[in-house]
Amino acid sequence: GIDLLSPAERHRVLVEWNDTARGVPAATLPELFQAQVARTPDATAVVFEGTELSYADLNARANRLARLLAVHGAGPETLVGVRLERSADLVVTLLAVVKAGAAYLPIDHTYPADRIAYLMEDARPALLVTTGELNPGDGGQTPCLVLDAPDTARALDALPATDLGDGDRIRSLLVEHPAYVVYTSGSTGRPKGVAVPHEAIGRLVREANYVELRSDDVVGQLASVSFDAATFELWGALLNGAVLAVAPSRNLSVFELREFVREHRVSVMWLTAGLFHEVVETDLTVLHGLRCVLAGGDVLSPAACLAVTEAFPEMLLINGYGPTEGTTFTSAHALRPGEPADGRPVPIGTPVSDTRVHVLDAALRPVPPGVVGEFYVAGAGLARGYVNRPGLTAERFVANPYGRPGERMYRTGDLVRWTGDGLLEFAGRTDEQVKVRGFRVEPGEVEAALATHPMVAQAAVIVRDDQPGGKRLIGYIVPLRSGSGSGESVTGAAVRSHAARLLPDYMVPSAVLVLPRLPLTVNGKLDRAALPAPDYAVGTVGREPRTPREHLLAQVFAEVLGLTQVGIDDDFFDLGGHSLLATRL
């Protein structure tokens, strides 16, 4: 084929715009953390509600637990499931798992039992760390270590609090060993586990080119630990001598978030795009006093970014972009006051440290600036691949023709373009994958869950953005017709509650509509544009409010949901509400 780039342009897109080497030797997380403990043993490492741990305290507690985990078989190339609420104990446990040399598999305690059972069966951890309250007894064959059990406390007390060496592990720990596994939505209807090595995390938070993390910072820990933004929060704080301020274990309202930031004097905070937009619309003072805000996980609104850079010209606002397979951030863009101007999209910026990116055509050739191509990622941030999925790993992690022999690159499925001055702009997806409240969702996985209802013949799921409160998943089903033609009818609400037993809450459709058939285009494909929007007002014909308090509540619900009226028996979530909208109540 014809090369569309001159030699100079080719050098610019492949070499100059990818000049991100830090020249920092790779090291394991235990080595990096222990070096920080040696520098600042008495500095505060973690604060959570009433608990405060110094670096030396945190190290000692994690060492004891790491030794106990090692006794139970945890070590390099093994997985330890962690089912705990956000807390100081969670931080101790994650640190202990990597000190033992194992990789942590975070399991969100709010997930439905079926989802948790699937993760346990698919990842096959050697051990599950949990508490008495959260211990489901459904770990199947997996042995459990119950942190708050009296015999666990006795076992920990008997162990030395000194750092572990390779002699204390089942084998030597290397920077290529996995440090954690997190699951992301799978297009086949099954989530897949992404295994991330130690070196990928080091490159994210140490002497990084996109953000400076300092020992006088307080980093907010707000993300669910099963979401890879938590990687930036946890290790960004602990490998730089900062304080990790752990938020209470629930979704904070915007008001609670403002109080949390103020109480702990948080200086660095990551927000999903949805929560960032919520804060900008509801109460900009939440961001008061912050030195740096990172937002991302979905496309940021230019107007929201402009509002923030104008209100807080001294604050650094960073748009962080990256798939889980590239370890939290692949590229980042710091917005200057007055940016973005003239209605341009917010750039996803330039590659982060030790990361190289390529915008390629279907024949894997670089495309010129201004031309949309598929985004490929290479460098030290790459995941090892998908746990127990060699076929899928080989399909998505391919040979990099622009790297050293044997080097891989990850095919993101995102469409991007370079601008003339070397910034990346997001331009969509090559497939159906969407982002909802910062989480990756494959509509195919949600469709598969809806289709498991015994009364459903066909299912389709799309994202709609035509209601207040941002993007929502909407499900459409065609009921199974029984032989006699009569049969029982199935309601959208019944199918929705069926899906809620299988999927995390961000993947449960806001509404499920029952249709006689799915609309098709002339060539027989699903006609997404012809799918009707849900009318949430239809269902609100329950009892009217009776007392002043009920009137006030109904009014607030209606306002937040963008409806004219709400009855006292109506369910906030059935009317299209979700956890992010609930932060406005």
Side-chain angles (χ1 to χ4, degrees):
I2 300 167
D3 198 341
L4 298 174
L5 293 166
S6 69
E9 273 188 315
R10 191 180 165 86
H11 186 266
R12 190 177 307 134
V13 299
L14 290 177
V15 181
E16 286 173 36
W17 290 349
N18 273 312
D19 182 15
T20 60
R22 291 174 311 158
V24 177
T28 65
L29 296 175
E31 287 168 338
L32 296 172
F33 177 71
Q34 282 148 209
Q36 184 59 53
V37 174
R39 284 193 293 273
T40 58
D42 302 326
T44 302
V46 178
V47 290
F48 172 71
E49 293 178 346
T51 311
E52 201 169 293
L53 296 175
S54 70
Y55 272 84
D57 295 337
L58 175 60
N59 194 43
R61 284 180 59 172
N63 283 337
R64 285 199 172 97
L65 182 53
R67 290 175 185 281
L68 189 55
L69 295 174
V71 168
H72 286 275
E77 300 296 346
T78 65
L79 282 181
V80 174
V82 177
R83 184 175 176 171
L84 297 170
E85 294 193 0
R86 247 196 325 255
S87 58
D89 280 342
L90 174 62
V91 179
V92 171
T93 304
L94 300 180
L95 191 52
V97 173
V98 298
K99 277 172 170 280
Y104 54 87
L105 168 70
I107 296 171
D108 192 314
H109 67 97
T110 64
Y111 280 178
D114 283 18
R115 178 93 171 180
I116 291 173
Y118 171 80
L119 297 187
M120 296 296 284
E121 195 182 320
D122 188 66
R124 300 196 285 274
L127 185 67
L128 175 66
V129 179
T130 185
T131 57
E133 187 189 349
L134 295 178
N135 183 12
D138 61 8
Q141 304 306 303
T142 313
C144 271
L145 179 68
V146 179
L147 274 189
D148 50 359
D151 54 346
T152 305
R154 283 194 294 275
L156 288 171
D157 287 342
L159 291 165
T162 48
D163 291 334
L164 287 77
D166 276 339
D168 301 301
R169 301 184 182 110
I170 48 180
R171 59 174 74 91
S172 296
L173 178 60
L174 308 173
V175 294
E176 299 86 2
H177 279 135
Y180 66 81
V181 170
V182 291
Y183 273 73
T184 67
S185 187
S187 53
T188 58
R190 290 162 55 211
K192 51 195 187 288
V194 180
V196 173
H198 286 247
E199 62 186 330
I201 301 163
R203 81 91 176 79
L204 176 71
V205 297
R206 287 178 66 232
E207 299 178 41
N209 62 359
Y210 65 99
V211 68
E212 183 197 4
L213 293 165
R214 310 191 301 231
S215 59
D216 60 350
D217 275 319
V218 177
V219 180
Q221 206 280 291
L222 297 163
S224 158
V225 75
S226 57
F227 180 38
D228 73 340
T231 307
F232 171 82
E233 298 169 336
L234 176 76
W235 300 109
L238 298 182
L239 302 185
N240 290 295
V243 176
L244 183 68
V246 181
S249 192
R250 60 175 185 278
N251 280 331
L252 301 189
S253 69
V254 172
F255 170 75
E256 289 172 317
L257 181 60
R258 189 181 70 198
E259 293 306 294
F260 171 74
V261 168
R262 205 173 63 190
E263 181 191 346
H264 293 292
R265 299 205 170 109
V266 175
S267 61
V268 177
M269 185 163 72
W270 154 265
L271 296 174
T272 62
L275 186 52
F276 173 74
H277 294 145
E278 204 64 54
V279 164
V280 174
E281 281 174 44
T282 316
D283 185 3
L284 261 181
T285 66
V286 169
L287 307 179
H288 185 74
L290 285 155
R291 184 175 74 74
C292 173
V293 170
L294 302 103
D298 203 351
V299 178
L300 295 186
S301 138
C305 292
L306 199 55
V308 171
T309 57
E310 286 181 341
F312 303 103
E314 300 299 301
M315 187 183 83
L316 184 60
L317 175 62
I318 297 172
N319 182 18
Y321 157 90
T324 300
E325 291 85 348
T327 313
T328 313
F329 299 135
T330 290
S331 68
H333 181 68
L335 288 113
R336 292 184 293 277
E339 252 196 308
D342 19 289
R344 295 287 301 171
V346 182
I348 56 173
T350 53
V352 304
S353 314
D354 288 343
T355 300
R356 290 179 303 289
V357 299
H358 302 301
V359 185
L360 307 177
D361 66 13
L364 299 187
R365 293 173 303 205
V367 299
V371 175
V372 170
E374 188 170 354
F375 199 34
Y376 288 79
V377 178
L382 282 201
R384 292 220 312 196
Y386 301 113
V387 175
N388 305 327
R389 302 277 175 89
L392 187 61
T393 300
E395 188 187 313
R396 304 305 301 189
F397 292 84
V398 296
N400 179 6
Y402 308 106
R404 294 186 296 279
E407 200 173 295
R408 304 172 308 148
M409 59 181 185
Y410 170 66
R411 181 182 180 181
T412 64
D414 284 338
L415 296 171
V416 301
R417 66 172 78 79
W418 286 110
T419 64
D421 47 3
L423 293 176
L424 293 157
E425 287 183 347
F426 181 76
R429 287 285 301 169
T430 61
D431 58 15
E432 304 294 337
Q433 190 193 96
V434 292
K435 285 291 188 84
V436 176
R437 312 209 294 275
F439 293 96
R440 245 160 76 170
V441 175
E442 296 279 3
E445 187 179 347
V446 184
E447 289 167 358
L450 297 181
T452 61
H453 189 286
M455 298 291 294
V456 170
Q458 286 175 282
V461 171
I462 62 167
V463 164
R464 302 195 78 101
D465 206 357
D466 42 16
Q467 285 281 118
K471 296 181 188 171
R472 285 184 173 78
L473 288 174
I474 306 296
Y476 299 87
I477 59 146
V478 177
L480 208 56
R481 288 184 182 77
S482 61
S484 64
S486 63
E488 343 155 23
S489 64
V490 63
T491 65
V495 175
R496 187 175 171 275
S497 54
H498 171 78
R501 290 196 288 275
L502 304 172
L503 299 168
D505 72 332
Y506 64 87
M507 291 177 76
V508 177
S510 292
V512 175
L513 277 65
V514 181
L515 303 178
R517 70 189 66 80
L518 293 177
L520 302 177
T521 61
V522 280
N523 56 8
K525 290 211 160 75
L526 177 67
D527 186 355
R528 294 172 180 278
L531 289 166
D535 185 355
Y536 294 109
V538 171
T540 62
V541 289
R543 291 181 297 159
E544 302 244 328
R546 300 155 304 187
T547 64
R549 188 175 181 192
E550 285 179 359
H551 271 285
L552 185 62
L553 282 172
Q555 196 181 332
V556 171
F557 269 46
E559 204 175 298
V560 168
L561 293 164
L563 299 173
T564 46
Q565 64 183 79
V566 170
I568 61 172
D569 301 312
D570 293 327
D571 182 296
F572 179 73
F573 295 99
D574 288 344
L575 296 179
H578 51 71
S579 60
L580 201 55
L581 263 186
T583 64
R584 290 193 188 181
L585 292 174

